[in-house]
Amino acid sequence: MTAATRNAIVLIPAAAALAASPAAVAQQVVEMPGRDQTLDADFEEVFRVGVFDGEDWEMFATVPTVAFDADGNLYVFDAGDDDDLRVVVFDRSGSFLRQFGSPGEGPGEFNAPYAYGVTRDGTTIVGDRGHQAYQIFDPAGEFVRMVRNRQRQELPSTGAGVTTTFSMSKPIRVDPRGGAVYTWEATTITVPGGTDPAQDHRAITRYTLDGDEVQGETVVEAWLPPREAQEEMFEVSGGSSELRDLMRGMTRSPHFEPRLRMTLLPDGGIVYADSSAYALKVTAPDGGGLVRTITRPIQPRTVTRRIEEEHKRKMEERRAQGRGPSTGQSTRIEISTSVSAGALAGRGLPLPGFSSRGLSVDAAEVPFYPVIPVIRELSATWDGRIWVMREGDEILEDGPIDVLTADGEYVGTFPTGATEMPDAFGPDRLAAFIEFDELHVATIVVRRLPVEVR
């Protein structure tokens, strides 16, 4: 091991380890070096698919994600409107193999798909809001079965006969060993007086798919950043006092609040980041407890007035250009209530089920978290190498990408702009990148990574 990659290893005393994780007896802390060691991003291109004008199977509408199976076949999830989805499959050389999927309300048809994944044996899993289920297809693209997913988070009655139910639709990561998917709470909406008012964590949950209905188990209780009263979502006047209290109690995440990031290792272990610091937490498989924390001496930046103004300016530019806040899968929250239909008055804030009579609702200005988190994105290769994208020097821009092992050995860093974070990793060092031209036509480029960063 060279001086550039040498790490400091410290064992936390047993009492502290038990406080952090009941399953851990001694948690290992690995501190990686602070100085970047540059990696070369000259990846070999294997093939590319996706054109503006061509065969039906090579013209894509919207590609939220891609995935590989163990044979190196590439699965492209091509989504149109909310109810439309097809899965297009290419072999490891880029030749078209098959496509499947159509909108509808029957088994095997898609009705508002929102989450996508492929197991290593080629089984395709699609989370479907309309069916309230995960739909499962065999490696040939034939429908196999649905696994019901009736997860609900109910809020209590406000005292005026209003009971609100939040229907959560979250992205998934597929267990590399098969048979399960993971979801995580990247952000939270808090409501005082909810079913779990003492909740003090964000959950990573494992859902098994071997029955008729998913069975969920919380495998990680990650840190939940505290929020102050001034971070309320809405400014409310009029309406019933109970409804005003409910709306005023809701809070949303401030700009730059540290999101929960997670990825999976080949053995089923979890790597996650839940704070503003450069701290990756590695757990044993199946919720076996925290076994290691990997750190770098890179500090989060303090949010200044200049940063706040720059953030607002860039957000306005993106809205003017019609650009969404991000690409890829996102959490969607649908809200319904037990009272008569209507919509909240004010600035176009529809909330089906609430009577709008005498009620005025304005979105409050979103506050800022005091620091900018170091870690922006997190992923892992099929061989268990961890890729960590850091926040860029420019506000809301990507930064360098660190590569390390799950044991905390620092491999090196791709400088800012040298490469994008791969949208999917595959076997034999394959990696897929979703790219867009000036007409926003999607092309998926498959490249082969060097051995040292596989």
Side-chain angles (χ1 to χ4, degrees):
M1 187 181 302
T2 67
T5 59
R6 189 174 296 116
N7 304 319
I9 299 178
V10 181
L11 289 181
I12 291 178
L18 289 172
S21 174
V25 175
Q27 175 201 334
Q28 187 185 57
V29 176
V30 181
E31 182 176 342
M32 299 189 301
R35 184 175 180 179
D36 288 349
Q37 178 173 297
T38 301
L39 293 172
D40 184 4
D42 186 19
F43 305 150
E44 172 196 356
E45 183 172 316
V46 180
F47 68 86
R48 60 177 57 215
V49 293
V51 296
F52 175 74
D53 187 18
E55 299 292 336
D56 173 71
W57 50 265
E58 59 181 344
M59 294 187 296
F60 306 129
T62 302
V63 181
T65 193
V66 293
F68 288 98
D69 66 18
D71 293 327
N73 297 321
L74 175 71
Y75 294 69
V76 179
F77 294 89
D78 183 27
D81 56 32
D82 282 346
D83 297 330
D84 199 7
L85 175 71
R86 64 171 181 163
V87 184
V88 190
V89 187
F90 302 88
D91 69 15
R92 63 188 305 131
S93 66
S95 298
F96 172 73
L97 290 178
R98 59 187 171 273
Q99 63 179 345
F100 60 94
S102 61
E105 298 184 359
E109 297 176 325
F110 298 124
N111 184 6
Y114 67 90
Y116 324 93
V118 176
T119 66
R120 297 198 171 191
D121 69 0
T123 299
T124 298
I125 302 168
V126 177
D128 194 304
R129 276 191 304 275
H131 290 291
Q132 298 182 38
Y134 290 113
Q135 301 214 57
I136 299 178
F137 301 82
D138 69 17
E142 297 295 326
F143 174 72
V144 177
R145 61 193 175 93
M146 287 196 294
V147 183
R148 296 293 179 185
N149 180 30
R150 298 188 179 93
Q151 303 300 316
R152 288 290 184 270
Q153 180 179 342
E154 291 196 6
L155 305 179
S157 169
T158 65
V162 180
T163 300
T164 306
T165 299
F166 284 74
S167 176
M168 304 300 292
S169 298
K170 300 178 181 178
I172 60 174
R173 290 197 187 274
V174 176
D175 192 324
R177 302 163 300 174
V181 297
Y182 289 76
T183 68
W184 65 102
E185 296 175 2
T187 59
T188 61
I189 294 178
T190 60
V191 181
T195 54
D196 186 10
Q199 180 176 344
D200 59 355
H201 66 271
R202 291 174 291 184
I204 298 176
T205 306
R206 185 175 190 266
Y207 292 105
T208 56
L209 304 177
D210 52 2
D212 295 330
E213 190 161 335
V214 298
Q215 300 296 319
E217 175 190 9
T218 297
V219 291
V220 169
E221 293 184 358
W223 179 64
L224 175 66
R227 293 184 187 163
E228 302 297 333
Q230 65 265 27
E231 295 168 10
E232 291 179 347
M233 293 176 66
F234 309 117
E235 296 175 356
V236 185
S237 61
S240 69
S241 60
E242 292 86 1
L243 184 53
R244 290 199 306 273
D245 289 343
L246 173 64
M247 297 297 296
R248 286 171 176 163
M250 291 184 178
T251 67
R252 58 181 167 181
S253 55
H255 297 305
F256 302 128
E257 180 182 82
R259 294 195 172 194
L260 176 59
R261 313 286 187 184
M262 67 86 67
T263 190
L264 295 172
L265 298 173
D267 66 354
I270 300 169
V271 182
Y272 69 97
D274 60 357
S275 71
S276 298
Y278 195 118
L280 303 175
K281 300 174 182 179
V282 183
T283 77
D286 303 318
L290 186 66
V291 296
R292 183 175 303 109
T293 298
I294 303 171
T295 69
R296 285 195 76 183
I298 301 174
Q299 302 303 316
R301 278 191 291 167
T302 300
V303 175
T304 63
R305 175 62 64 181
R306 184 195 65 80
I307 288 176
E308 291 182 5
E309 294 301 323
E310 179 69 7
H311 180 276
K312 292 176 183 178
R313 183 187 67 79
K314 286 197 171 184
M315 293 300 293
E316 288 298 329
E317 286 181 354
R318 293 186 177 191
R319 280 191 285 268
Q321 296 168 359
R323 295 167 57 189
S326 63
T327 58
Q329 302 176 50
S330 62
T331 300
R332 177 170 174 173
I333 303 175
E334 298 171 346
I335 306 176
S336 62
T337 68
S338 61
V339 300
S340 60
L344 290 176
R347 300 178 182 174
L349 227 83
L351 205 60
F354 281 113
S355 171
S356 61
R357 184 175 57 191
L359 185 66
S360 175
V361 179
D362 292 323
E365 184 175 354
V366 180
F368 284 84
Y369 202 72
V371 295
I372 302 175
V374 176
I375 295 176
R376 183 176 178 87
E377 198 171 339
L378 189 61
S379 191
T381 71
W382 275 43
D383 301 297
R385 291 286 173 96
I386 303 168
W387 287 44
V388 182
M389 176 178 282
R390 289 155 30 201
E391 190 71 26
D393 292 333
E394 299 295 325
I395 304 302
L396 298 178
E397 300 297 335
D398 296 341
I401 298 175
D402 297 337
V403 181
L404 55 138
T405 71
D407 291 332
E409 179 184 349
Y410 173 64
V411 177
T413 299
F414 295 110
T416 299
T419 178
E420 301 289 335
M421 179 74 89
D423 292 281
F425 289 100
D428 303 325
R429 311 197 314 275
L430 295 176
F433 301 79
I434 304 172
E435 299 182 354
F436 299 91
D437 64 14
E438 63 278 4
L439 298 176
H440 208 66
V441 174
T443 298
I444 293 84
V445 183
V446 174
R447 300 184 175 98
R448 195 178 307 278
L449 305 175
V451 174
E452 61 269 22
V453 297
R454 63 188 183 276

